[in-house]
Amino acid sequence: NEVLIHGITGSGKTEVYLELIEAAIKLNRPSIVLVPEISLTPQMISRFIGRFGNRIAVQHSRLSQGERYDQWRKIKAGEVDVVIGARSAVFAPFTNIGFIIVDEEHESSYKSESTPKYDARQIARARCNINGAVLVLGSATPSIETYYRAINGKIRLFNLKNRPNELPLPKVDIIDLREELKAGNHNVLSRRLEEELIKNKNNGEQSIIFLNRRGFASFILCRDCGFVIKCPNCSISLTVHTYDKQIICHYCGYSNSIPNKCPDCSSPHIKPFGTGTQKVEKELENHTEGFKTIRMDLDTTLGKKGHQKILDAFRNKEADILIGTQMVAKGHDFPNVTLVGILAADSYLFNSDYRASERTFQLVTQASGRAGRGEIPGRVILQAYNIDDYAIQAGVKQDYEEFYNKEIIMRHRLISPPFCHIGLIVVSSENSNDAKESIDRIRERILTRYSKEKGFLCSNSMQCPVFLIKNRYRWRIIVKMVSINRLVDLMNYVSDEFRHVAVKGTGLSVDIDPAAMI
């Protein structure tokens, strides 16, 4: 009772969902539809209201407590047939569920990063088993784990290979940024992308520029002594935000004003480096063409209707260019968008995460899929330094099978999911030695109890990639096990045992198959 719909971007997956839900309603069985981002709910809701009228409810974190309660009461009273929302909607109080549909099932936002660290896909699977319902997973770029289960017959697979009306997939051109530098272009935009943006504006067509980093610049560097300004509470460089002249930590929220001279050597040659969405916005606004831009990232979408206002403004052609982070790359349908520019397409590749290549491929494919969804064919310009990487090459061709076949070999060699499950155990303390001592003790207990288990691997104690967050030092161990049940048993054991062996003042965090390995 689990199905994967693997359909290329723009192939009509939403229409399939609507048909399935309609069939369930005829049998008096309600359905739940999960979307990865709150920004996608307005679009989904309008499609569903068109089909099912007012018998739908919405659940997501930007609703007030009163609105949430009203929606919950309507669901409980049986006044609705469909619930749409982000991951928490999986808990909607239905009893006789027909379908739970997880759109863009590959998205990491379905996994909660804060306690309780649930995965909405796993909850959906359990609820479907309890209710005799069908779990429908939909994506143009399914997660490696889901696709592995599908082609090995654990779940059913349906392919949607074409766009309706035979609309072609957009043409993707790759720009090698090394060549741009050689030609003396130090701007954020390549010369080719700049030309195409001008062409689009003159033709009355819209463009999207995608960059997975908010803020103005990634860090501030002194060009005399090499000093980089870091957060005093976290081991991370501060991001420059020019609209309020602040340098901000995206981990703990620390902020300060942008300095005029180096705090270390007092040199005035201190300058922002790297690129964020704000910097792109500023560069385009100051362009001689006079582009009208809208920016969509975490800083501009605060408030209940933050996403909707921006998307509506862009749909109403109030801007030539929408600049945004990953929330722009997913699921949106803008018929007048004919050009997508992807900046720093290879930025994920350097993450210390086993999903780095997968995220890069998904990003390129999903962002490309925003172009050419109307009458006019779309085109995509992708900028990167590492243009030969297989994730980028397969993403450009939108060839999921080619990517999957290469990636699954790597996963097998590295013993990563789907060939195991990962347990992340993090101990933190204001004293680094205390955290290290506590995690060493826990590791000894784990080895004593589980080392003879089939398919068990345990790393050494090591510092987390972001070692200091909110003035707490973080040490971790990574455990790999083939059996999810045995890994759950191990995590419960760690939680119980920690109370007895931990140094005072240390805290424990455990997670299974985490969304991020920081």
Side-chain angles (χ1 to χ4, degrees):
N1 59 353
E2 192 172 334
V3 173
L4 169 63
I5 299 174
H6 179 210
I8 59 166
T9 53
S11 59
K13 292 185 288 294
T14 308
E15 189 55 40
V16 175
Y17 305 155
L18 291 165
E19 294 287 332
L20 292 173
I21 290 165
E22 202 159 338
I25 290 171
K26 284 176 182 158
L27 300 169
N28 289 326
R29 299 189 72 167
S31 299
I32 298 172
V33 181
L34 302 184
V35 291
E37 289 269 355
I38 297 167
S39 67
L40 288 177
T41 24
Q43 180 179 312
M44 216 37 137
I45 290 163
S46 61
R47 290 281 299 266
F48 276 70
I49 286 176
R51 185 71 73 96
F52 305 118
N54 292 328
R55 290 187 62 82
I56 66 168
V58 182
Q59 295 267 285
H60 60 68
S61 60
R62 295 269 169 99
L63 299 177
S64 68
Q65 291 289 4
E67 287 170 318
R68 276 187 157 192
Y69 175 72
D70 288 344
Q71 296 286 326
W72 188 89
R73 189 196 51 71
K74 273 171 67 179
I75 300 163
K76 188 84 175 139
E79 293 169 22
V80 298
D81 297 319
V82 190
V83 169
I84 303 171
R87 65 174 175 244
S88 60
V90 76
F91 297 108
F94 281 143
T95 45
N96 186 27
I97 301 170
F99 289 102
I100 299 183
I101 294 167
V102 183
D103 191 31
E104 311 288 1
E105 72 80 30
H106 61 276
E107 283 294 341
S108 57
S109 50
Y110 285 123
K111 179 78 202 280
S112 166
E113 295 282 352
S114 51
T115 307
K117 295 176 181 170
Y118 69 92
D119 187 325
R121 290 157 295 204
Q122 300 285 11
I123 306 275
R125 194 166 287 132
R127 289 200 74 182
C128 285
N129 287 338
I130 293 162
N131 283 272
V134 178
L135 176 60
V136 179
L137 306 168
S139 177
T141 54
S143 67
I144 296 293
E145 294 89 329
T146 300
Y147 198 71
Y148 179 78
R149 289 172 62 230
I151 60 173
N152 284 297
K154 297 271 188 348
I155 62 178
R156 293 178 70 188
L157 173 63
F158 292 98
N159 286 306
L160 299 174
K161 297 256 185 199
N162 299 309
R163 286 179 158 189
N165 317 331
E166 297 301 312
L167 289 171
L169 281 169
K171 179 177 179 293
V172 183
D173 285 343
I174 301 182
I175 306 294
D176 187 340
L177 291 177
R178 293 168 297 190
E179 297 299 321
E180 289 291 306
L181 287 175
K182 277 183 202 162
N185 178 19
H186 295 273
N187 293 337
V188 174
L189 305 176
S190 61
R191 294 160 299 173
R192 173 73 199 288
L193 180 53
E194 196 179 341
E195 282 164 23
E196 294 292 333
L197 287 167
I198 293 167
K199 197 188 292 179
N200 247 29
K201 181 178 188 292
N202 294 337
N203 291 343
E205 294 163 22
Q206 290 176 296
S207 311
I208 291 178
I209 288 188
F210 172 82
L211 171 66
N212 210 20
R213 190 179 290 124
R214 63 195 169 102
F216 182 82
S218 335
F219 57 95
I220 286 193
L221 173 83
C222 173
R223 285 186 293 174
D224 286 345
C225 74
F227 180 78
V228 173
I229 300 182
K230 290 197 162 175
C231 173
N233 314 318
C234 310
S235 53
I236 203 86
S237 57
L238 293 168
T239 305
V240 184
H241 288 245
T242 49
Y243 68 95
D244 51 3
K245 299 185 173 55
Q246 297 277 302
I247 39 178
I248 296 174
C249 174
H250 288 170
Y251 284 88
C252 75
Y254 168 86
S255 65
N256 209 332
S257 51
I258 299 172
N260 300 320
K261 55 185 187 186
C262 173
D264 207 40
C265 74
S266 300
S267 158
H269 301 135
I270 186 156
K271 190 180 164 199
F273 281 85
T275 302
T277 44
Q278 266 189 15
K279 188 173 185 179
V280 178
E281 179 182 42
K282 198 161 186 190
E283 202 164 292
L284 284 166
E285 281 176 352
N286 295 338
H287 196 279
T288 48
E289 275 297 316
F291 291 114
K292 290 211 285 283
T293 64
I294 297 180
R295 178 162 57 89
M296 184 171 178
D297 55 29
L298 206 58
D299 300 317
T300 61
T301 54
L302 298 168
K304 198 195 313 178
K305 297 243 169 98
H307 296 93
Q308 201 164 348
K309 278 182 196 153
I310 290 171
L311 294 169
D312 288 349
F314 189 58
R315 226 174 239 116
N316 297 335
K317 302 188 184 170
E318 288 172 31
D320 310 308
I321 303 169
L322 175 65
I323 304 157
T325 52
Q326 61 201 24
M327 56 177 74
V328 167
K330 299 164 187 170
H332 298 295
D333 204 343
F334 300 110
N336 199 42
V337 169
T338 55
L339 174 67
V340 170
I342 306 174
L343 311 189
D346 49 355
S347 58
Y348 270 140
L349 288 174
F350 315 115
N351 284 5
S352 57
D353 192 323
Y354 69 91
R355 292 195 198 88
S357 291
E358 182 180 0
R359 294 253 162 90
T360 301
F361 172 78
Q362 287 165 348
L363 181 87
V364 172
T365 309
Q366 294 284 345
S368 303
R370 298 314 110 218
R373 293 171 82 101
E375 300 297 311
I376 308 160
R379 55 208 196 285
V380 177
I381 292 178
L382 179 151
Q383 300 182 180
Y385 289 99
N386 296 268
I387 61 170
D388 302 321
D389 187 87
Y390 68 90
I392 286 179
Q393 288 294 335
V396 164
K397 289 185 270 186
Q398 301 228 358
D399 190 335
Y400 182 83
E401 276 75 20
E402 180 188 314
F403 170 72
Y404 173 85
N405 291 334
K406 287 183 174 163
E407 179 68 7
I408 202 76
I409 293 166
M410 298 297 290
R411 296 281 183 98
H412 194 259
R413 279 186 192 152
L414 297 169
I415 317 174
S416 296
F419 301 101
C420 70
H421 291 279
I422 288 181
L424 186 61
I425 299 164
V426 177
V427 171
S428 65
S429 171
E430 289 177 6
N431 180 312
S432 176
N433 292 336
D434 289 352
K436 171 85 166 70
E437 192 177 327
S438 298
I439 201 142
D440 284 343
R441 289 179 189 172
I442 273 291
R443 185 173 178 275
E444 274 172 39
R445 298 286 174 109
I446 291 170
L447 291 175
T448 306
R449 182 165 169 149
Y450 292 95
S451 59
K452 293 191 172 60
E453 297 248 347
K454 182 174 173 280
F456 167 85
L457 290 167
C458 181
S459 74
N460 291 325
S461 306
M462 49 195 168
Q463 296 179 1
C464 291
V466 182
F467 184 35
L468 184 69
I469 293 184
K470 295 180 184 173
N471 276 324
R472 292 183 72 86
Y473 295 92
R474 304 161 71 243
W475 287 81
R476 72 175 184 183
I477 47 178
I478 295 169
V479 176
K480 293 182 178 180
M481 284 182 117
V482 173
S483 162
I484 185 75
N485 293 335
R486 294 304 295 149
L487 185 55
V488 169
D489 181 81
L490 183 149
M491 291 305 208
N492 285 333
Y493 171 73
V494 166
S495 301
D496 293 342
E497 210 58 21
F498 188 75
R499 287 180 291 220
H500 308 304
V501 301
V503 178
K504 197 173 175 209
T506 54
L508 173 74
S509 166
V510 297
D511 199 358
I512 291 175
D513 293 333
M517 301 286 284
I518 56 162

